[in-house]
Amino acid sequence: MKIKIADFMEKVQAGEFNQTSLEISKDDLLQADLWSINKAKEQIEKDTADNKLSQVMIHVADSEFEINFYLETGVINLPFADAKKVTHFFDDDAEVDTKIYLSTACDYLNASKFHIDLISENVLKNDEIKHTMDIMKENYETSVENFSNKDEEKKEEK
């Protein structure tokens, strides 16, 4: 889908994009069950066919800590929350193709509590769906490890 940068920023900042939420279990995530990504792909394809920006949040429902994954139709590797920064990279009247990005938000992921990856240049293909799930699983496992180690760090500080 093509969009003018000024329109992209306006729509995202005004919340004019389709938001969909899914819940996944940590078992489905750890077993790399692709149902959530396939569901997200369907929603993104529907939204872009309707010429709408799309954000699909996948929440790990039974995790010991808050972790969310976002598949978004963006124009650069910035989450919708940082849309105003897009002007640093493009002219407002530039027209660009949207791409699909995966963002991970979790307090235990890394120092920035955030990671973003370019997943697809346009429509999610089978290998990109698998790769997306691999990134989600890896980010979750890293977060679990960091979450587990936080208690060890507290003990060492005493």
Side-chain angles (χ1 to χ4, degrees):
M1 172 176 109
K2 282 200 173 296
I3 190 166
K4 275 193 168 177
I5 293 299
D7 293 341
F8 173 80
M9 291 186 338
E10 183 181 313
K11 286 181 182 208
V12 172
Q13 289 175 333
E16 293 175 19
F17 53 89
N18 275 10
Q19 277 185 297
T20 307
S21 295
L22 301 171
E23 288 194 346
I24 187 173
S25 69
K26 53 187 180 185
D27 285 346
D28 280 355
L29 182 59
L30 293 171
Q31 293 168 14
D33 189 321
L34 302 177
W35 73 265
S36 62
I37 308 299
N38 284 318
K39 196 102 173 125
K41 174 189 180 208
E42 288 171 21
Q43 186 61 50
I44 290 169
E45 286 176 355
K46 180 182 176 302
D47 293 342
T48 54
D50 292 340
N51 232 22
K52 294 179 181 169
L53 294 172
S54 184
Q55 178 189 68
V56 179
M57 180 188 78
I58 301 172
H59 173 72
V60 183
D62 56 349
S63 177
E64 302 81 30
F65 48 84
E66 190 75 16
I67 183 166
N68 294 305
F69 301 97
Y70 299 87
L71 283 153
E72 296 176 332
T73 52
V75 294
I76 193 167
N77 63 339
L78 289 170
F80 282 0
D82 290 334
K84 61 184 169 288
K85 295 179 183 173
V86 170
T87 57
H88 301 302
F89 304 96
F90 297 99
D91 291 329
D92 283 358
D93 57 351
E95 189 171 67
V96 298
D97 286 314
T98 57
K99 297 176 168 118
I100 301 172
Y101 293 91
L102 170 70
S103 301
T104 306
C106 178
D107 288 349
Y108 302 99
L109 180 60
N110 54 31
S112 68
K113 303 176 184 183
F114 181 81
H115 187 79
I116 189 166
D117 294 279
L118 172 63
I119 297 303
S120 177
E121 294 288 331
N122 47 34
V123 176
L124 282 168
K125 298 175 188 78
N126 286 341
D127 58 331
E128 293 168 334
I129 290 170
K130 172 88 175 82
H131 182 63
T132 301
M133 182 52 76
D134 290 344
I135 293 169
M136 289 170 58
K137 181 179 174 187
E138 185 179 316
N139 287 348
Y140 177 73
E141 288 172 338
T142 298
S143 299
V144 167
E145 188 176 319
N146 293 339
F147 179 78
S148 299
N149 291 340
K150 77 174 175 34
D151 294 332
E152 297 299 317
E153 290 172 17
K154 284 181 183 171
K155 286 177 190 169
E156 290 173 15
E157 288 174 8
K158 291 182 179 179

